[in-house]
Amino acid sequence: MNQMCLAHLPGYAPKGSKDRATQAKLTLSELDAAIGRFIREVYNLRPHSETRLPPQARWEAGAFIPRMPDSLEQLDLLLCTVAKPRKIHTDGIQFLALRYIDPVLADYVGEQVTIRYDPRDITEIRVYLRHPDGTDATFLCRAICPELSGETVSLKEITAARNARRKQLRGRLATRSTVVDTLLALHDEPLPAAYPATTRLRQWDTCDQAGPATTHDAGDTPTPGDGPRLKRYWNE
């Protein structure tokens, strides 16, 4: 594969190359198509080094007739090996935070089904009714996602987009957390210290307006006449 196929594709960067990611030229779908063409048009038609026959000619010479499925739906059941259990809701089937709908699903609301899909294209899923007795599942329909209709989106693209979104959100949260910590540090000033006791003396203004203010020792107990006059409120 490396010598006959990948080495001839644009953007090929063997192991040990510097900045391999920046040399990429093909998308995943383009790479898949290129590998498919190589297998069909080159490898299967080129004589093998041991058998001296092309693989396709050797296969056809064996006169082997494979057992074919009875319908395309059964072929999908064989090829789409990725299966997930789901439940049909009134608004369709929820899968990968996407909604898949089809008119047939309206008659099976609440039923347990098995969905199968191609990881290279999740714009539609195959829905099979699960029988309680364990018999083979019955094909119901192909449900499509309206948000992805008309496009070809792979599971890897969905996963990559979500990972990028999560990374972006985590970066925003980290930035906001830093800003909040900085603001808290700026406003987290120490409380003013208590007035220092530079002397053991404390003054109380006597309530006697005629006499001067007297000075008492800090250890003395103030008498009812000492201290500033307080305003009192009475309930009448």
Side-chain angles (χ1 to χ4, degrees):
M1 184 64 67
N2 286 328
Q3 297 176 0
M4 300 175 59
C5 178
L6 300 181
H8 303 284
L9 297 179
Y12 174 71
K15 187 177 181 180
S17 302
K18 295 182 179 180
D19 300 329
R20 299 176 67 188
T22 59
Q23 301 182 37
K25 302 296 182 181
L26 301 179
T27 63
L28 185 61
S29 59
E30 292 173 344
L31 177 62
D32 181 70
I35 294 176
R37 287 193 302 269
F38 166 75
I39 295 176
R40 293 190 309 269
E41 302 173 7
V42 178
Y43 183 79
N44 284 338
L45 302 180
R46 181 175 179 173
H48 196 271
S49 58
E50 294 184 3
T51 62
R52 306 300 178 183
L53 294 174
Q56 182 173 345
R58 181 176 172 85
W59 172 267
E60 295 174 351
F64 175 76
I65 301 178
R67 178 184 176 184
M68 299 299 295
D70 297 333
S71 62
L72 293 178
E73 288 76 15
Q74 291 186 0
L75 179 61
D76 291 335
L77 187 62
L78 294 174
L79 297 179
C80 298
T81 57
V82 183
K84 299 289 184 181
R86 282 297 182 270
K87 183 179 181 180
I88 301 178
H89 300 277
T90 54
D91 59 344
I93 297 177
Q94 301 291 334
F95 177 58
L96 296 174
L98 300 172
R99 183 174 58 95
Y100 293 84
I101 60 175
D102 189 88
V104 177
L105 300 178
D107 295 334
Y108 297 91
V109 175
E111 295 288 346
Q112 298 291 334
V113 295
T114 299
I115 64 172
R116 292 180 177 269
Y117 62 95
D118 184 358
R120 299 173 300 177
D121 185 10
I122 59 171
T123 56
E124 69 173 20
I125 58 176
R126 280 80 167 175
V127 184
Y128 297 84
L129 182 64
R130 298 167 56 186
H131 300 299
D133 55 1
T135 57
D136 295 338
T138 302
F139 176 75
L140 292 182
C141 63
R142 293 185 178 185
I144 65 171
C145 178
E147 291 81 3
L148 302 178
S149 60
E151 301 180 8
T152 300
V153 182
S154 66
L155 181 59
K156 289 187 177 181
E157 292 174 338
I158 293 291
T159 304
R162 290 181 177 175
N163 291 338
R165 179 60 176 169
R166 291 192 187 100
K167 185 177 180 180
Q168 181 184 14
L169 292 178
R170 280 196 293 265
R172 290 183 180 178
L173 291 177
T175 303
R176 294 179 181 179
S177 178
T178 303
V179 173
V180 171
D181 292 340
T182 304
L183 292 176
L184 291 178
L186 293 176
H187 293 281
D188 190 15
E189 300 178 354
L191 295 176
Y195 293 105
T198 57
T199 178
R200 296 183 67 254
L201 298 179
R202 184 186 306 168
Q203 280 192 347
W204 292 297
D205 292 337
T206 58
C207 59
D208 188 2
Q209 300 295 331
T214 59
T215 301
H216 302 268
D217 187 79
D220 295 342
T221 302
T223 59
D226 295 334
R229 182 181 297 276
L230 302 179
K231 183 180 293 185
R232 296 185 177 182
Y233 298 89
W234 302 87
N235 292 328
E236 298 180 358

